Amino acid sequence: MLDTLTNLDWIDTYALPWGINLLFALGTFIVGRWVARGVVAVARKVLTHAKLDLILVNFILSILQGVLLLVVIIAALDRLGVDTTSLVALIGAAGLAIGLALQDSLKNFAAGVMLIVFRPFKAGDFVEAGGTSGVVEKINIFSSTFRTVDNREIIVPNGAIYSGVITNFSARATRRIDLLFGISYDDDIRKVKGIIEQVLKDDPRVLADPAPFIGVADLADSSVNIHVRPWVATADYFDTMCDLKEKVKIAFDENGITIPYPQVDMYQHVIQVPATPVAEAGNGA
């Protein structure tokens, strides 16, 4: 009879309250996880409606889901009777230590978010940033991948990109080509300008609007320098620049236009020194 009462007291004192707390803890965890999923779903719709990059959306949602799940676990443990004060302090200290250890990564993450949100460039653009230049292939949270003109793949941390100057060569639909040609002082400037103008008209890639500029840039020591500034589509920039240099050179050759180059005239002066007379043997003896 005494053993029966003792067992009943143990059940009333320990087993029953602990079982009730366990049920409430499980209920808290299940409901909390369901609420967390609902919050993540709503956040997904809001971020998608804001037209943010898919990489950034998935990254933010994964962080949000992890934080909410951690809150649900702490709440369930607290309902179970576990002292979560020290656990929260431990998590906070661990987060601070991890943040200090990963400060460079956090810097790259923040820069990646800024790159994705403000979009100074996009995949497929040719840019110069972070000490390298090439076509942007991927923009990730922590780094971006470039493909150079000689087909090398370079991965640059986003922090190095966003903290420096970003030059996007593909941002505009058109680009201006700056060419400089030197002609002799004996050549007819009006004839030269006509030849260059004809070369530009014959190339269909050169845009008529804005009109190309052709003018005298400088009267140098040994040449008259002509500025030539046509506009082309951005995609045609490099090929057109090389072709125009070749075509202008050929046109100059065909029309007898001289492109001067530095020359150095060297003169050699021969000075004849009279031979010193040799003292006669025995002289002064």
Side-chain angles (χ1 to χ4, degrees):
M1 185 66 179
L2 184 61
D3 294 338
T4 302
L5 291 175
T6 302
N7 292 334
L8 291 175
D9 291 340
W10 182 85
I11 292 174
D12 290 339
T13 306
Y14 298 104
L16 188 60
W18 190 85
I20 293 174
N21 289 336
L22 179 61
L23 290 177
F24 274 107
L26 289 174
T28 301
F29 179 76
I30 293 173
V31 174
R33 194 170 68 168
W34 178 79
V35 172
R37 289 178 178 175
V39 172
V40 171
V42 173
R44 182 183 296 276
K45 291 182 180 180
V46 172
L47 295 176
T48 304
H49 183 71
K51 296 181 180 180
L52 295 179
D53 193 272
L54 182 60
I55 298 175
L56 180 60
V57 171
N58 291 335
F59 189 80
I60 294 176
L61 292 178
S62 63
I63 294 178
L64 179 62
Q65 186 175 10
V67 171
L68 292 177
L69 185 59
L70 181 61
V71 172
V72 170
I73 292 175
I74 293 175
L77 291 175
D78 184 69
R79 192 65 185 86
L80 191 60
V82 178
D83 184 11
T84 57
T85 304
S86 58
L87 179 61
V88 171
L90 180 62
I91 293 175
L96 179 60
I98 293 173
L100 292 174
L102 300 178
Q103 55 182 340
D104 290 338
S105 297
L106 294 177
K107 175 184 176 182
N108 291 329
F109 163 72
V113 172
M114 301 298 284
L115 289 176
I116 292 174
V117 171
F118 292 104
R119 293 181 177 273
F121 54 79
K122 62 182 183 299
D125 288 350
F126 187 88
V127 303
E128 181 178 337
T132 188
S133 60
V135 177
V136 179
E137 291 198 327
K138 290 185 293 184
I139 307 172
N140 297 322
I141 291 297
F142 294 99
S143 63
S144 298
T145 303
F146 290 74
R147 187 184 75 251
T148 61
V149 292
D150 55 350
N151 207 32
R152 291 178 296 153
E153 183 177 287
I154 299 179
I155 300 175
V156 184
N158 288 332
I161 296 175
Y162 202 76
S163 62
V165 177
I166 300 174
T167 303
N168 190 341
F169 297 97
S170 304
R172 307 294 181 179
T174 58
R175 284 187 65 184
R176 190 186 72 185
I177 300 176
D178 290 347
L179 301 174
L180 183 67
F181 298 101
I183 62 173
S184 171
Y185 274 91
D186 296 331
D187 293 323
D188 187 346
I189 295 179
R190 288 169 293 185
K191 178 180 178 181
V192 170
K193 293 176 68 175
I195 294 172
I196 297 175
E197 183 178 355
Q198 188 61 45
V199 170
L200 297 180
K201 287 182 178 180
D202 292 341
D203 196 316
R205 295 168 296 184
V206 175
L207 302 178
D209 186 22
F213 171 80
I214 305 173
V216 177
D218 188 23
L219 300 177
D221 292 337
S222 59
S223 64
V224 178
N225 295 329
I226 307 295
H227 262 163
V228 181
R229 294 175 174 175
W231 289 82
V232 296
T234 300
D236 297 332
Y237 176 82
F238 187 76
D239 292 340
T240 308
M241 178 181 64
C242 296
D243 290 344
L244 288 179
K245 290 179 180 179
E246 178 181 348
K247 291 178 180 179
V248 170
K249 175 62 170 64
I250 294 175
F252 281 0
D253 293 341
E254 291 176 348
N255 289 272
I257 304 300
T258 305
I259 299 180
Y261 53 88
Q263 300 183 33
V264 178
D265 295 331
M266 299 183 64
Y267 300 92
Q268 182 177 7
H269 299 277
V270 179
I271 302 176
Q272 294 183 353
V273 179
T276 302
V278 180
E280 297 180 0
N283 184 23

